[in-house]
Amino acid sequence: MLFPQLVIINGWKNEVANVSVIRALKTLGEKYSGHLGKVWSVQINESDSTESLEIICNAWSSAISKGGATVPDLILDMTMADLGAEASSSFTAAMGVPTLSAQFGQEGDIRYWRDLDLDQKNYLIQVMPPNDLVPEAIRQLAIQMNITNAGILYDKKDFIMIHKYKSLLLNVPTRHVINDLQNTVDNVKEQLTKLRDLDVVNYFLLGDEDSINKLLNVGNSLSFTGRKYGWFILTLNEEMWPSCACENITILLLKPEMPTVSNENQAESVIRANLPKPLITSAFYYDLTLLGVSAMKSALDNGDWPLEPSHINCNSYDETNTPTRGLDFLAKLMAVSKNMTPTYASISWGKKNGEHHMDFKMIMYMINIEREKITMKEESGDWQAGIEMPLQVSPSA
């Protein structure tokens, strides 16, 4: 019985990934004994590059120190963005270790993976998480609704927008500002007022229930609620409906379609119940862990990956000695994913990094809140998540 050994790299703030990966490893241990060898877990501070690289390099040196069949076969990179994620991707590219990455970024955004050789392109694989795709719907809304100005606010807990500042509305004639949502009600009030002073009257928020309701309440208190104003809410929580002490406000809400439950067995519903919210994100990390381990097991079983791989460490790396691997890890991932039942949604495979992503749909609702109650809730279209995917608007909308 051959079992892959793996190193997991994650930012300590990415709690959803941490919990989901642990659950996935537990499932592998219980369900498929023999699917898993030793696991090394490396937690980094994603806002620090040098410290992150040092932590990763030290953990790696220790993991490969005994050599032979005891060394890692696979890295799962669950970092999101920022300097620590850069340290992680520069490490995986230099060491030449098969890696399944869930870093944020479209084509070319992962700096140290921009100029990979053909060998590396086959085994350094990134799949975009759902919270990296959802903001792309804003681009489609702006194009299809001819929105001329936009204040785009986002909740830092769930969304990262640094890499989208230039690209999100590139070549779209929408004057816009992108900022993270302030924490306190007073600061949000000031934030919205400043946007209004800039003649920005269309407000977008990427957030969770708390941040959404806070923003709507502030908008109501400032009377930014007439026909002149546009409110666009995008959330990862498929069960969320906005709630605010609003007199009269109309909102366009986009949220994920509920996962399809066909012939669901009890075990699957237990898994869903035990994963943290938002489910679409935790299910993504959970399934990605199962997929990475299963794909590497398939490579070991078929002799496509050696039982005793040779590795270098950070000290011996000289910019010319990255090992050649000859492993088509992408093909293994694609083959294994065909036979997996996803916890939430399957993966859509593209041709290269920046194109692979979770395959899900966002449903669009037109909502009216009057005197603190939802008086209208109308499905008005949907958006198949992806880069440059147009919105589908219902004929009646």
Side-chain angles (χ1 to χ4, degrees), residues 2 7 13 15 37 152 198 223 265 292 316 333 337 343 348 384:
L2 310 171
V7 172
K13 279 187 181 169
E15 216 161 295
I152 300 165
L198 293 169
S223 300
N265 60 38
S316 61
L333 290 164
S337 74
T343 308
S348 167
Q384 187 66 44

Side-chain angles (χ1 to χ4, degrees), residues 25 28 39 42 44 50 59 67 122 221 223 234 260 265 302 319 353:
L25 296 177
L28 284 165
V39 178
V42 185
I44 60 171
T50 313
N122 280 335
S221 73
S223 300
L234 298 93
T260 47
N265 60 38
N302 296 336
E319 296 190 20
N353 290 338

Side-chain angles (χ1 to χ4, degrees), residues 32-98:
Y32 318 101
S33 66
H35 255 59
L36 205 53
K38 191 160 177 345
V39 178
W40 292 265
S41 179
V42 185
Q43 297 277 317
I44 60 171
N45 171 2
E46 285 200 45
S47 55
D48 188 304
S49 174
T50 313
E51 182 199 355
S52 294
L53 191 58
E54 198 175 312
I55 290 168
I56 295 167
C57 284
N58 289 343
W60 181 250
S61 291
S62 153
I64 65 171
S65 60
K66 288 182 183 157
T70 67
V71 301
D73 302 294
L74 167 70
I75 290 176
L76 291 178
D77 181 354
M78 301 301 184
T79 59
M80 295 191 288
D82 217 350
L83 300 169
E86 284 203 344
S88 182
S89 51
S90 70
F91 166 82
T92 50
M95 298 300 110
V97 188

Side-chain angles (χ1 to χ4, degrees), residues 26-33 35 265 267-268 271 286 290:
K26 193 168 174 246
T27 300
L28 284 165
E30 288 169 359
K31 209 167 173 183
Y32 318 101
S33 66
H35 255 59
N265 60 38
E268 275 174 8
I271 288 164
Y286 178 88
L290 300 184

